[in-house]
Amino acid sequence: MAAAQGRLSDGTGGMDDSKEGDRDGGGGAPPAFQAAVQALRNSRLRPQIEIDPTPAPQRLAPFAYALEAAVVDGDQDLADGRLVLLHDPDGHDAWHGTFRLVTLVRAELEPEMAADPLLPDVCWSWLTGALQARGLTYGEASGTVTRASSHYFGGLSERPSASQIEIRASWTPREGLGGVPDTAAHLASWCDLLAQVAGLPPAGPGDASIVTLPQRRGPQSR
């Protein structure tokens, strides 16, 4: 199984000014953040999900740690996403806490499925359901579900039309002992969402938290 790895940043750059920070959850970061990052690094995931390090945005919080993931089948991607852990030791009024998780998840769909008017509500319920299925407490959840379609003309007219679903969301994880949230469980829930959007079967016997997406477009070449 893939082990979760990533990078830490504590600079003051912007969302589009992502750089690898000088810190990696070591002695220069607050103890609560170090523990939260270490839990992410030690997480073990189902083999279809590949985790890669990625630079974290630097203007969102004093400390940030980012992971990117892809659900793969051979050399083909079924879905991909990014998860960022933010930490402000002084707290943040909008978060109502000192930690925040921010995510982006994407997958391609058949145009007929993308046209379903209930799809955005269903996709949002997949996110909240994945958190609830693991018994996680969270607050201040917000986000968007976006559908996009591409149609090709002229020299590109032989390409089939493509439709994509994109989930952008953020939430405040409940802080436990020592002010540390259960980031490993939140990562597992996020991976459940990725698997759900990708149309994978449940991870194990009796796991009903994953409902596959019907009428999926075939796997996309990486």
Side-chain angles (χ1 to χ4, degrees):
M1 293 186 291
Q5 295 294 329
R7 293 189 180 128
L8 169 68
S9 167
D10 67 339
T12 57
M15 190 69 169
D16 298 325
D17 185 27
S18 296
K19 301 176 182 177
E20 184 176 356
D22 294 332
R23 302 177 186 175
D24 59 358
F33 187 62
Q34 293 180 47
V37 168
Q38 193 61 42
L40 290 174
R41 288 176 166 170
N42 292 339
S43 296
R44 308 299 296 181
L45 311 175
R46 59 190 295 177
Q48 299 95 333
I49 297 179
E50 294 184 353
I51 294 285
D52 294 312
T54 189
Q58 297 191 4
R59 286 185 179 171
L60 300 181
F63 299 89
Y65 181 85
L67 297 168
E68 61 183 5
V71 181
V72 297
D73 178 13
D75 62 348
Q76 298 174 316
D77 284 355
L78 301 176
D80 62 73
R82 190 179 193 217
L83 183 69
V84 180
L85 174 67
L86 304 175
H87 179 54
D88 187 339
D90 296 328
H92 195 293
D93 291 341
W95 302 353
H96 290 179
T98 63
F99 284 90
R100 187 77 170 170
L101 285 161
V102 182
T103 186
L104 164 67
V105 172
R106 298 174 299 190
E108 293 213 14
L109 307 171
E110 288 290 350
E112 294 81 4
M113 186 62 187
D116 187 337
L118 297 179
L119 183 63
D121 296 290
V122 170
C123 288
W124 184 256
S125 72
W126 285 346
L127 169 65
T128 58
L131 294 167
Q132 293 165 4
R134 292 186 179 269
L136 293 169
T137 303
Y138 62 95
E140 307 305 319
S142 62
T144 62
V145 177
T146 304
R147 294 174 290 189
S149 298
S150 298
H151 303 271
Y152 301 94
F153 302 93
L156 301 177
S157 60
E158 293 184 359
R159 292 188 183 182
S161 299
S163 297
Q164 185 181 74
I165 192 74
E166 180 180 276
I167 304 169
R168 291 178 179 267
S170 63
W171 64 95
T172 299
R174 179 181 180 182
E175 297 171 15
L177 186 65
V180 182
D182 189 352
T183 50
H186 281 272
L187 175 60
S189 294
W190 181 68
C191 288
D192 289 343
L193 172 64
L194 272 173
Q196 194 166 19
V197 171
L200 293 185
D207 183 354
S209 64
I210 298 176
V211 180
T212 58
L213 182 64
Q215 301 182 9
R216 281 292 317 278
R217 179 174 295 278
Q220 303 301 303
S221 298
R222 300 176 73 181

